[in-house]
Amino acid sequence: MAAVCILDEFEVHKNEKFLKIAEELKPELHETVIRPEKLLQFKRHLKVERKPDMHETVVREEAYEELAKKQFKKDDQIVLDFGNHQVGYVTMKLSAAGSHQDAPAYIYLKFAERPEELEADPAQYDGWISKGWLQEEYIHVDTLPAEVKLPRRYAFRYMELKVIDVSMKFSLVVDDVSVRAVSAVREEDVPPLEIGDPLLEKIDRVAIHTLQNCMQDVFEDGPKRDRRLWLGDLRLQARANYQTFKNYDLVKRCLYLFGGMTFNEGKVSACLFTEPQLDPDDTYLFDYALLYSSALLDYYEETYDEEALKDLYPVAIRQIEIGLGYLTEDGVIPDHSNEFWCFADWGEGLNTQAASLAILIYSLRYCINLAKHMKDAECVQRMSVWEEKLKKSAVDHYWDEEQQLFVSGEERQVSWATQIWMILARVFPKEKNRELILHTIDVNPRIQMVTPYMYHHYIDALIRSGEKERAIDEIKKYWGEMVHDGADTFWEVYNPYNKYESPYGSLMVNSFCHAWSCTPTYFLRKFYTGGREEE
Ligand code: RAM
């Protein structure tokens, strides 16, 4: 299902003071020049889009040093393997061999995070988001030798180069290719996690690499796509960042950007653009806006930054008030499941009505804690009354005594997402939450979790229900399976029951280095270093 939000009569309220603070916190990016490790020859036209396996498709491997010795003719093709996921700017040094160059060299380039993208044919793309996200270029080079600096920033491990044409009189030589990789942080600054479990240590490393490659001018959701700051992603990235890079300024910058660009009624946008100028997107996501309070409280409890708390507290409270404003007289949130309104997860057919209420309750807890730090007794009192009232409403409306599960919407749908958010909202006490999560695992509701974003909340729910060991096991099963599938960075979507699922109608535009999937490092480092449990 296409999921977009276009708001009519969209008015932007910019807070210049906040935007100035955000601007001053803009990071200088670290740059590292990296060269490919290997040259790969793939068996072409295999059409194995649905069953990627590098070892089946790579037919020849050579050292990168062999590249400059080759002479490429029409239709010749090579894949450069950079050995790991990179985000940056590519430069190629090209020259000619044979007679004088008597025609432009015409080259096709494709950048891929995963081998599946190399094999897929962009001409067949029929997803509902822009084809412009596919990382491919058609280039004419009139005069050789030449140094070609590609203008876009790419996210990739593999770079395919195909000669569309040269001429019968000359060949193309690729003397050198490099990427100037960029990030606001450097993973070598994070001490390795040494816990004696190779799979968990590997998961931690992949998670940190994912986070590093998403930390640019802001916390991006995915450096291939959408390359922008989403509030829901930011909240999870920030948590992982506190356990690893500890780049508090970048979090602060992003919180001020959201606070500094609200729209109608003071709503914070679900995502922001930073180029060509700062602009909020006209997308409101109920859950993301509410979770601003959680992101702010996390930041404050890490830094005790009083200035930021004072500035941004009203923004957080406003989101909660707006959320409360959606309640019906019965104390529930109307069902918006047919719109892109409460995100929760990308699961097809997921009914988000009950989860909306649960996320509101969850956010009230964070808001109350913020109010306590602000010594705003009136707010603590008012929001605590709401919290209790809505917990009761959640049970009255959505608890199904017979199934011992929460249901959602008129269809009384049972999903993982609903149970998890009700647990995180602490609608029941801890022991009953534990029973609920164990029962959910037993029942395995048909509406599955499909994103690492939702899995993050599942792991969180397990830990908060006292099931820490099981949480670690589940991290191994879910993120470990991605590692097993060759992940250099963790993916936007990963449904173990349907590995090639895409919310966009094509795997080609899925992001394979995606912010919200980096949180195993948060859980593992907190868990193994005896991190503090949240109140
Ligand atoms: C996608 C992006 C982003 C996410 C939104 C809801 O477009 O992947 O990460 O936050 O969905």
Side-chain angles (χ1 to χ4, degrees):
M1 178 189 84
V4 282
C5 171
I6 299 173
L7 298 177
D8 295 331
E9 291 164 38
F10 180 63
E11 346 157 328
V12 177
H13 308 296
K14 289 198 177 177
N15 179 321
E16 294 305 332
K17 176 191 155 193
F18 288 4
L19 296 183
K20 187 163 174 279
I21 294 176
E23 185 58 27
E24 282 163 4
L25 294 165
K26 197 170 173 169
E28 280 272 333
L29 299 187
H30 300 277
E31 298 187 352
T32 322
V33 175
I34 296 165
R35 293 204 153 63
E37 285 183 359
K38 281 185 284 192
L39 311 179
L40 306 176
Q41 282 288 352
F42 279 75
K43 223 190 253 174
R44 303 312 295 166
H45 313 304
L46 268 176
K47 295 272 180 265
V48 286
E49 237 175 279
R50 306 240 137 228
K51 193 181 171 299
D53 181 338
M54 283 294 284
H55 306 293
E56 269 181 24
T57 55
V58 175
V59 290
R60 190 165 166 191
E61 244 186 67
E62 289 171 281
Y64 169 64
E65 290 64 37
E66 297 302 308
L67 181 64
K69 300 178 194 158
K70 293 181 184 293
Q71 299 194 359
F72 292 94
K73 283 298 207 187
K74 181 179 167 115
D75 292 334
D76 283 349
Q77 173 266 0
I78 193 92
V79 173
L80 311 185
D81 177 357
F82 280 75
N84 203 349
H85 187 276
Q86 316 291 346
V87 176
Y89 300 88
V90 170
T91 301
M92 299 186 292
K93 287 192 179 147
L94 307 174
S95 57
S99 303
H100 192 96
Q101 181 190 6
D102 61 340
Y106 187 23
I107 306 166
Y108 171 76
L109 299 174
K110 191 197 224 181
F111 295 88
E113 297 184 307
R114 296 275 307 156
E116 295 92 308
E117 294 163 274
L118 288 175
E119 290 154 11
D121 178 3
Q124 306 294 318
Y125 176 75
D126 64 351
W128 60 265
I129 59 173
S130 171
K131 192 176 183 167
W133 289 117
L134 300 180
Q135 306 184 103
E136 52 174 358
E137 308 293 349
Y138 290 84
I139 296 173
H140 292 83
V141 187
D142 291 320
T143 312
L144 293 169
E147 184 177 79
V148 180
K149 284 184 188 293
L150 299 171
R152 295 191 69 214
R153 197 196 70 192
Y154 303 97
F156 67 103
R157 169 171 167 177
Y158 305 99
M159 171 181 156
E160 176 185 349
L161 182 150
K162 184 174 174 182
V163 176
I164 301 174
D165 216 341
V166 274
S167 87
M168 283 187 284
K169 298 188 59 154
F170 81 99
S171 312
L172 178 78
V173 177
V174 184
D175 296 301
D176 187 31
V177 181
S178 60
V179 59
R180 183 165 49 85
V182 289
S183 170
V185 288
R186 293 186 314 191
E187 60 196 297
E188 22 330 346
D189 294 342
V190 181
L193 181 70
E194 284 167 355
I195 50 175
D197 182 320
L199 180 58
L200 288 177
E201 288 170 3
K202 171 85 183 166
I203 291 173
D204 181 69
R205 273 201 307 283
V206 174
I208 291 173
H209 194 56
T210 308
L211 179 59
Q212 172 196 266
N213 284 4
C214 293
M215 286 174 75
Q216 301 292 335
D217 177 45
V218 291
F219 281 92
E220 290 183 10
D221 62 333
K224 167 180 145 189
R225 201 228 78 242
D226 306 324
R227 301 169 59 149
R228 76 190 64 136
L229 174 60
W230 282 85
L231 186 39
D233 302 64
L234 166 67
R235 170 171 158 266
L236 302 195
Q237 284 168 299
R239 286 184 172 179
N241 169 53
Y242 301 143
Q243 300 297 326
T244 53
F245 299 109
K246 303 187 191 301
N247 185 332
Y248 301 114
D249 281 356
L250 196 62
V251 181
K252 182 172 184 177
R253 165 167 160 78
C254 295
L255 290 171
Y256 270 89
L257 286 175
F258 278 110
M261 284 188 280
T262 53
F263 58 87
N264 311 39
E265 302 159 56
K267 285 176 171 157
V268 293
S269 177
C271 75
L272 303 178
F273 301 97
T274 51
E275 300 285 347
Q277 74 273 326
L278 293 172
D279 269 326
D281 186 24
D282 59 341
T283 298
Y284 174 69
L285 286 179
F286 177 79
D287 47 348
Y288 278 20
L290 288 172
L291 292 170
Y292 185 83
S293 54
S294 156
L296 180 59
L297 183 74
D298 287 350
Y299 171 76
Y300 177 72
E301 293 191 338
E302 280 293 321
T303 59
Y304 294 102
D305 180 341
E306 299 293 339
E307 181 209 19
L309 176 67
K310 242 170 75 205
D311 280 346
L312 302 176
Y313 173 71
V315 179
I317 299 297
R318 184 72 198 117
Q319 306 318 304
I320 304 287
E321 280 165 352
I322 293 167
L324 291 170
Y326 281 100
L327 287 166
T328 63
E329 276 181 14
D330 283 356
V332 296
I333 301 292
D335 194 350
H336 287 264
S337 300
N338 293 328
E339 301 156 47
F340 189 52
W341 191 80
C342 174
F343 170 65
D345 196 14
W346 273 124
E348 190 63 37
L350 173 67
N351 185 293
T352 53
Q353 188 182 18
S356 314
L357 184 62
I359 294 167
L360 176 56
I361 300 168
Y362 173 92
S363 304
L364 277 163
R365 184 165 83 242
Y366 284 86
C367 161
I368 292 165
N369 284 334
L370 283 172
K372 284 182 185 161
H373 287 301
M374 285 292 292
K375 308 203 169 25
D376 183 351
E378 181 280 325
C379 185
V380 173
Q381 153 72 15
R382 184 160 50 97
M383 296 302 177
S384 304
V385 170
W386 273 118
E387 192 188 16
E388 285 322 303
K389 205 163 146 180
L390 296 184
K391 281 184 178 176
K392 183 170 178 315
S393 173
V395 176
D396 290 350
H397 289 90
Y398 301 122
W399 178 247
D400 183 322
E401 190 58 33
E402 204 177 304
Q403 298 191 69
Q404 292 287 300
L405 290 166
F406 285 96
V407 294
S408 180
E410 258 180 35
E411 68 213 77
R412 299 181 65 75
Q413 180 193 80
V414 176
S415 68
W416 280 83
T418 300
Q419 317 311 317
I420 288 165
W421 275 112
M422 288 294 179
I423 290 168
L424 294 177
R426 300 190 186 160
V427 168
F428 289 141
K430 189 166 177 178
E431 189 44 38
K432 185 141 183 175
N433 275 342
R434 195 172 151 265
E435 284 165 22
L436 174 55
I437 197 69
L438 296 180
H439 184 50
T440 307
I441 294 169
D442 267 358
V443 172
N444 189 8
R446 187 179 59 81
I447 305 290
Q448 298 285 339
M449 301 173 272
V450 305
T451 58
Y453 178 77
M454 196 58 235
Y455 263 84
H456 166 92
H457 293 104
Y458 170 46
I459 303 297
D460 205 7
L462 281 169
I463 293 174
R464 290 182 201 215
S465 312
E467 286 289 322
K468 286 190 176 172
E469 297 300 334
R470 192 184 286 263
I472 299 295
D473 270 4
E474 293 293 295
I475 290 177
K476 277 187 165 176
K477 272 200 231 152
Y478 185 69
W479 280 271
E481 187 68 7
M482 270 190 260
V483 165
H484 178 75
D485 284 338
D488 301 306
T489 45
F490 289 125
W491 309 348
E492 173 182 20
V493 177
Y494 190 69
N495 177 0
Y497 296 88
N498 174 15
K499 290 194 179 176
Y500 304 109
E501 185 157 331
S502 168
Y504 313 111
S506 168
L507 199 69
M508 281 185 244
V509 283
N510 281 19
S511 155
F512 293 100
C513 173
H514 211 71
W516 65 24
S517 66
C518 72
T519 59
T521 189
Y522 158 75
F523 290 120
L524 294 173
R525 284 173 185 257
K526 226 174 133 173
F527 184 72
Y528 284 101
T529 56
R532 173 182 64 89
E533 275 305 303
E534 185 210 333
E535 286 303 299

